[in-house]
Amino acid sequence: MRSLRAEADPSEGPESGKAKSQYRNYMPDAVLQEGKLLDRVYNTYLLMHTHQTVDFVRRKVRAPLGPPAVGGTLQPPHSAPQHCRCSPGAPSQPAWGAPTPPQLWGGSQGVLGWQRRQGGSLSCLPCAQSTQYGTCSLRKMSAMEALELLDQLVDESDPDVDFPNSYHAYQTAEGIRRAHPDKDWFHLVGLLHDLGKVLALFGEPQWAVVGDTFPVGCKVQKSVVFRDSTFHDNPDTRDPLYSTEYGMYQPRCGLENVLMSWGHDEYMYRVMKFNSFALPKEAFYMVRFHSFYPWHAHGDYLHLCTEEDLRMLPWVRELNKFDLYTKQEELPDVQQLRGYYQSLIDKYCPGQLCW
């Protein structure tokens, strides 16, 4: 893959169609004024915050390898043969959708028994779990075909737009293009940052695709949207470990080792990695964490960050300016713009991709 060096270059940001204070308004008075739109937003977050748990996310894609969890042991080395990609001796798990034999999880020979023999806890479960999206094997299509699918999707978590997500992709990309005319790779990031939302068209409910992300497995911070009214039925909030500040993580473990709530950010990041997009590291990072508003907009979860995370933070914030403030009812002329963005796709992520 071609090596690209990106340098931070903050811009003034796009001109907005409304006051910046009016974007991402989740306050109760806004809910009352906007009616059905904000009802839709709240209900999406209610479902998300009820069902996004450590176990749920681990079923989507294996947990990241990294430092040991509090009270646990080091994750096994990533050198195992066929039956488990993490550790020799770990019991295997059937493919997604296959029935799980009861003996797999219980007894001395099951995953839990294996884990107890290693001295671990549920917070450091190795990669013997099923993975629904870890292999990018849903279908093959080009980046432009994925973008066109978003003509069918309106993001139910977004209080600022009520039009198909494909238009938002072009709005974001064009805003970046005007501010950073010399960074064509960044223009492409603006176009593809939300392509992971195709999951909602593959059968996932929107609460498992859209909206702000947050770390699972530790205390929910105050800046998480609707925190005080939507987590009451989430079982992780009653777990004594997951309810602590660090939860199952260690101080400054790094965001790459944090299990984030499942959604389009992580899915698209994995599609980009799997298909070897010829983009700089900053591009992958921006896509992976652009919905992590509690961190990049409010400064929460800094206790989990490394110096590398903090170095990348200005890039995530730079993308956010255009992701957020280019949302306008005046829609772009997609046919006029398509040729330019197809040329960027051909340059950085050509052909049929695995999704």
Side-chain angles (χ1 to χ4, degrees):
M1 182 170 78
R2 186 159 60 105
S3 176
L4 296 174
R5 177 64 181 167
E7 299 292 343
D9 182 22
S11 69
E12 293 292 328
E15 291 188 8
S16 175
K18 59 183 180 182
K20 291 185 177 181
S21 62
Q22 292 182 298
Y23 287 91
R24 288 179 55 82
N25 189 350
Y26 299 100
M27 299 301 291
D29 59 338
V31 175
L32 291 175
Q33 292 172 16
E34 299 293 337
K36 289 183 179 180
L37 176 62
L38 267 295
D39 286 345
R40 181 194 76 188
V41 172
Y42 180 83
N43 289 332
T44 302
Y45 275 102
L46 178 62
L47 290 167
M48 179 196 308
H49 294 166
T50 298
H51 298 295
Q52 291 273 6
T53 64
V54 170
D55 288 342
F56 174 81
V57 177
R58 281 177 168 158
R59 287 198 300 271
K60 296 301 177 185
V61 67
R62 69 173 178 82
L65 296 176
V70 175
T73 60
L74 278 171
Q75 291 275 7
H78 195 66
S79 59
Q82 58 255 20
H83 61 281
C84 177
R85 289 172 301 202
C86 277
S87 173
S92 60
Q93 170 76 339
W96 179 263
T100 303
Q103 66 270 23
L104 180 66
W105 295 105
S108 61
Q109 300 305 312
V111 169
L112 301 183
W114 178 87
Q115 191 176 40
R116 283 192 292 271
R117 293 196 299 277
Q118 308 306 310
S121 67
L122 285 180
S123 62
C124 61
L125 187 64
C127 304
Q129 294 196 334
S130 61
T131 58
Q132 188 174 5
Y133 297 116
T135 57
C136 293
S137 56
L138 288 179
R139 64 186 295 179
K140 286 190 175 183
M141 60 182 171
S142 69
M144 187 59 75
E145 287 171 331
L147 180 60
E148 290 170 350
L149 284 180
L150 294 186
D151 289 346
Q152 307 170 42
L153 180 72
V154 175
D155 187 332
E156 294 178 355
S157 72
D158 195 332
D160 298 312
V161 298
D162 201 20
F163 51 78
N165 213 248
S166 54
Y167 289 108
H168 167 60
Y170 282 103
Q171 288 176 332
T172 305
E174 282 294 282
I176 294 171
R177 185 181 177 187
R178 287 188 291 270
H180 299 278
D182 59 328
K183 295 183 175 66
D184 65 349
W185 64 267
F186 195 6
H187 311 166
L188 183 61
V189 170
L191 188 76
L192 60 76
H193 75 283
D194 273 351
L195 288 196
K197 291 180 182 178
V198 294
L199 282 177
L201 305 172
F202 295 166
E204 282 284 8
Q206 285 215 22
W207 59 260
V209 177
V210 302
D212 294 3
T213 57
F214 60 95
V216 296
C218 65
K219 183 180 179 180
V220 179
Q221 299 294 308
K222 291 182 179 180
S223 64
V224 173
V225 171
F226 300 127
R227 185 197 74 155
D228 294 336
S229 62
T230 54
F231 280 93
H232 50 276
D233 287 330
N234 186 308
D236 283 3
T237 61
R238 296 183 288 277
D239 185 288
L241 176 61
Y242 298 163
S243 301
T244 62
E245 194 77 3
Y246 288 96
M248 64 183 191
Y249 308 109
Q250 288 192 337
R252 297 178 296 281
C253 62
L255 295 184
E256 66 176 349
N257 295 311
V258 170
L259 201 60
M260 300 295 295
S261 56
W262 176 252
H264 68 283
D265 294 38
E266 183 68 20
Y267 174 61
M268 188 60 200
Y269 164 77
R270 290 176 179 271
V271 169
M272 292 167 67
K273 293 286 283 187
F274 191 90
N275 291 280
S276 300
F277 282 27
L279 293 168
K281 182 178 181 180
E282 287 79 359
F284 290 86
Y285 201 96
M286 284 188 279
V287 169
R288 192 177 196 182
F289 296 111
H290 74 272
S291 298
F292 190 12
Y293 274 86
W295 173 60
H296 67 67
H298 300 285
D300 279 335
Y301 298 102
L302 292 176
H303 56 288
L304 301 178
C305 294
T306 61
E307 288 300 318
E308 179 67 2
D309 293 322
L310 299 181
R311 187 183 77 81
M312 290 290 185
L313 181 55
W315 279 105
V316 179
R317 287 175 171 166
E318 186 66 9
L319 171 62
N320 176 247
K321 293 177 187 177
F322 303 96
D323 184 15
L324 184 57
Y325 299 127
T326 60
K327 295 174 182 176
Q328 301 181 23
E329 291 298 325
E330 184 178 346
L331 301 180
D333 186 342
V334 171
Q335 293 306 313
Q336 183 180 8
L337 299 173
R338 181 187 171 109
Y340 173 70
Y341 288 101
Q342 182 63 59
S343 73
L344 298 187
I345 290 171
D346 293 341
K347 181 178 180 179
Y348 293 110
C349 52
Q352 294 289 295
L353 308 174
C354 297
W355 296 78

